[in-house]
Amino acid sequence: MEITLLAFAASSDSFGFSSRKVSCSADDTPLTIVQRIAPEVNISSLRVALDCEFVTWETPIADARELAFIPPVSGG
Amino acid sequence: MHLEIHFTAESIVIPSCSLPSKEVGALVEFHGIVRELEDNKALPGLFYEAYEPMARRVLKRHLLELGTLHPCQAVHFIHRTGWVPVGEASLYICVMSAHRGEALRFLADSIDRLKLDVPIWKRTTRPSKD
């Protein structure tokens, strides 16, 4: 299966993309995916969302279609 | 509560504020304007980026919850995306309620919630393309 990774704001600089598809399995987690594709990226300030809902780094992605990396927000 | 959430890459056009009922006694508007100085450095503007589907979902959840805390009749929320020059509004919120207290509290809390976890970001420079 495939999942679309979305990197926003400063995280797109860290990951080097704003959108990218990667192969994965249902029991992958956001953490295992990052460790596989970009182990050098510091994720300490990032949150993650699966299909537009915040989750933990250890949440299995199951059948999610989008994984978003969410840096600290600054709207307004 | 009537709720509208919009994102626009164009200058914000203030919606016509037709009153949802004759029981509206307070209409409070907020314009968030891009300032020139950021950390004592003059900037020409700010670049706003949003994860729109999630921003709508998270924001809607917050605003509906605030509607139970501070009952209001209508809320219009508009946020710019893309480049916003200094002096232009990046954010517009209009809250209508029966009394001023609910509208003012709703407005203040909605901005606090916006800055809590709604996935919108501003940058001082335009991002480079992938």
Side-chain angles (χ1 to χ4, degrees):
Chain A
M1 60 182 279
E2 274 193 334
I3 192 167
T4 300
L5 308 184
L6 301 173
F8 293 96
S11 73
S12 66
D13 299 333
S14 304
F15 283 100
F17 62 83
S18 56
S19 177
R20 173 182 169 184
K21 288 184 186 295
V22 296
S23 297
C24 60
S25 60
D27 57 355
D28 260 321
T29 68
L31 186 59
T32 62
I33 290 175
V34 169
Q35 287 172 336
R36 191 159 64 241
I37 65 149
E40 73 285 3
V41 172
N42 181 350
I43 59 170
S44 60
S45 67
L46 299 180
R47 299 177 71 183
V48 279
L50 289 172
D51 289 345
C52 296
E53 292 289 348
F54 285 112
V55 296
T56 70
W57 283 96
E58 292 79 23
T59 302
I61 60 171
D63 59 352
R65 301 177 66 177
E66 283 185 350
L67 165 58
F69 303 110
I70 312 285
V73 302
S74 53
Chain B
M1 182 175 75
H2 177 74
L3 175 60
E4 290 193 27
I5 298 173
H6 298 287
F7 290 87
T8 177
E10 308 295 330
S11 295
I12 291 175
V13 176
I14 307 305
S16 61
C17 288
S18 56
L19 302 181
S21 85
K22 292 181 179 177
E23 288 307 303
V24 170
L27 185 155
V28 178
E29 287 182 301
F30 174 81
H31 300 250
I33 311 293
V34 174
R35 289 180 293 113
E36 184 176 47
L37 290 180
E38 180 91 11
D39 296 330
N40 288 323
K41 182 181 171 190
L43 301 172
L46 292 171
F47 187 90
Y48 284 88
E49 178 181 4
Y51 182 19
E52 280 194 32
M54 183 172 176
R56 287 178 190 278
R57 183 183 297 199
V58 175
L59 191 58
K60 182 178 179 182
R61 196 177 293 151
H62 280 312
L63 297 181
L64 290 177
E65 187 180 325
L66 287 177
T68 65
L69 298 173
H70 317 300
C72 293
Q73 300 199 3
V75 177
H76 292 259
F77 177 100
I78 306 173
H79 205 297
R80 284 280 294 272
T81 56
W83 183 254
V84 183
V86 165
E88 289 194 17
S90 57
L91 172 63
Y92 170 81
I93 305 173
C94 176
V95 183
M96 295 178 232
S97 64
H99 306 286
R100 69 184 188 282
E102 290 89 344
L104 290 167
R105 284 190 288 273
F106 188 108
L107 175 65
D109 287 358
S110 66
I111 298 169
D112 288 343
R113 299 255 186 138
L114 170 69
K115 294 176 179 293
L116 182 68
D117 60 0
V118 179
I120 302 172
W121 302 270
K122 60 175 167 248
R123 310 180 83 163
T124 55
T125 57
R126 300 169 196 246
S128 57
K129 304 272 185 188
D130 277 353

